[in-house]
PDB file of all heavy atoms in Angstrom:
ATOM      1  N   ILE A1278      87.552  88.797 104.950  1.00 75.00           N
ATOM      2  CA  ILE A1278      88.223  87.565 105.506  1.00 75.00           C
ATOM      3  C   ILE A1278      87.207  86.597 106.157  1.00 75.00           C
ATOM      4  O   ILE A1278      87.309  85.416 105.928  1.00 75.00           O
ATOM      5  CB  ILE A1278      89.377  87.959 106.468  1.00 75.00           C
ATOM      6  CG1 ILE A1278      90.431  88.649 105.641  1.00 75.00           C
ATOM      7  CG2 ILE A1278      89.838  86.758 107.135  1.00 75.00           C
ATOM      8  CD1 ILE A1278      91.482  89.254 106.492  1.00 75.00           C
ATOM      9  N   LEU A1291      90.603  92.074  97.965  1.00 84.00           N
ATOM     10  CA  LEU A1291      90.835  93.337  98.761  1.00 84.00           C
ATOM     11  C   LEU A1291      91.693  94.279  97.938  1.00 84.00           C
ATOM     12  O   LEU A1291      91.406  95.512  97.888  1.00 84.00           O
ATOM     13  CB  LEU A1291      91.396  93.011 100.085  1.00 84.00           C
ATOM     14  CG  LEU A1291      90.453  92.519 101.113  1.00 84.00           C
ATOM     15  CD1 LEU A1291      91.217  92.052 102.395  1.00 84.00           C
ATOM     16  CD2 LEU A1291      89.471  93.516 101.542  1.00 84.00           C
ATOM     17  N   LEU A1348      98.749 105.844  91.891  1.00 93.00           N
ATOM     18  CA  LEU A1348      98.126 105.745  93.184  1.00 93.00           C
ATOM     19  C   LEU A1348      97.756 104.291  93.473  1.00 93.00           C
ATOM     20  O   LEU A1348      97.900 103.826  94.690  1.00 93.00           O
ATOM     21  CB  LEU A1348      96.905 106.649  93.295  1.00 93.00           C
ATOM     22  CG  LEU A1348      97.154 108.113  93.235  1.00 93.00           C
ATOM     23  CD1 LEU A1348      95.892 108.882  93.119  1.00 93.00           C
ATOM     24  CD2 LEU A1348      97.875 108.564  94.498  1.00 93.00           C
ATOM     25  N   ILE A1352      98.513 102.073  96.919  1.00 92.00           N
ATOM     26  CA  ILE A1352      97.405 101.507  97.693  1.00 92.00           C
ATOM     27  C   ILE A1352      97.321 100.000  97.648  1.00 92.00           C
ATOM     28  O   ILE A1352      97.015  99.272  98.613  1.00 92.00           O
ATOM     29  CB  ILE A1352      96.039 102.176  97.250  1.00 92.00           C
ATOM     30  CG1 ILE A1352      96.025 103.640  97.507  1.00 92.00           C
ATOM     31  CG2 ILE A1352      94.884 101.509  97.945  1.00 92.00           C
ATOM     32  CD1 ILE A1352      96.168 104.055  98.893  1.00 92.00           C
ATOM     33  N   ALA A1387     112.954  95.669 109.586  1.00 94.00           N
ATOM     34  CA  ALA A1387     113.461  95.122 108.318  1.00 94.00           C
ATOM     35  C   ALA A1387     112.289  94.840 107.324  1.00 94.00           C
ATOM     36  O   ALA A1387     112.363  95.196 106.116  1.00 94.00           O
ATOM     37  CB  ALA A1387     114.236  93.830 108.560  1.00 94.00           C
ATOM     38  N   TYR A1403     107.364 102.175  87.326  1.00 93.00           N
ATOM     39  CA  TYR A1403     106.116 102.680  86.655  1.00 93.00           C
ATOM     40  C   TYR A1403     106.309 104.105  86.122  1.00 93.00           C
ATOM     41  O   TYR A1403     105.879 104.439  85.081  1.00 93.00           O
ATOM     42  CB  TYR A1403     104.924 102.662  87.670  1.00 93.00           C
ATOM     43  CG  TYR A1403     103.683 103.210  86.988  1.00 93.00           C
ATOM     44  CD1 TYR A1403     102.987 102.482  86.025  1.00 93.00           C
ATOM     45  CD2 TYR A1403     103.244 104.517  87.221  1.00 93.00           C
ATOM     46  CE1 TYR A1403     101.876 102.953  85.356  1.00 93.00           C
ATOM     47  CE2 TYR A1403     102.147 105.018  86.536  1.00 93.00           C
ATOM     48  CZ  TYR A1403     101.481 104.206  85.682  1.00 93.00           C
ATOM     49  OH  TYR A1403     100.405 104.729  84.984  1.00 93.00           O
ATOM     50  N   LEU A1405     109.132 105.450  85.032  1.00 92.00           N
ATOM     51  CA  LEU A1405     109.874 105.334  83.807  1.00 92.00           C
ATOM     52  C   LEU A1405     108.973 104.910  82.615  1.00 92.00           C
ATOM     53  O   LEU A1405     109.058 105.448  81.568  1.00 92.00           O
ATOM     54  CB  LEU A1405     111.007 104.334  83.965  1.00 92.00           C
ATOM     55  CG  LEU A1405     112.103 104.779  84.895  1.00 92.00           C
ATOM     56  CD1 LEU A1405     113.106 103.661  85.116  1.00 92.00           C
ATOM     57  CD2 LEU A1405     112.865 106.047  84.334  1.00 92.00           C
ATOM     58  N   ASP A1417     103.698 118.453  74.573  1.00 65.00           N
ATOM     59  CA  ASP A1417     102.579 119.445  74.418  1.00 65.00           C
ATOM     60  C   ASP A1417     102.688 120.578  75.450  1.00 65.00           C
ATOM     61  O   ASP A1417     102.519 121.762  75.123  1.00 65.00           O
ATOM     62  CB  ASP A1417     101.182 118.771  74.596  1.00 65.00           C
ATOM     63  CG  ASP A1417     100.861 117.948  73.420  1.00 65.00           C
ATOM     64  OD1 ASP A1417     101.541 118.063  72.394  1.00 65.00           O
ATOM     65  OD2 ASP A1417      99.837 117.174  73.431  1.00 65.00           O
TER      66      ASP A1417
END
Side-chain angles (χ1 to χ4, degrees):
I1278 291 171
L1291 285 168
L1348 292 171
I1352 296 300
Y1403 178 75
L1405 289 173
D1417 286 349

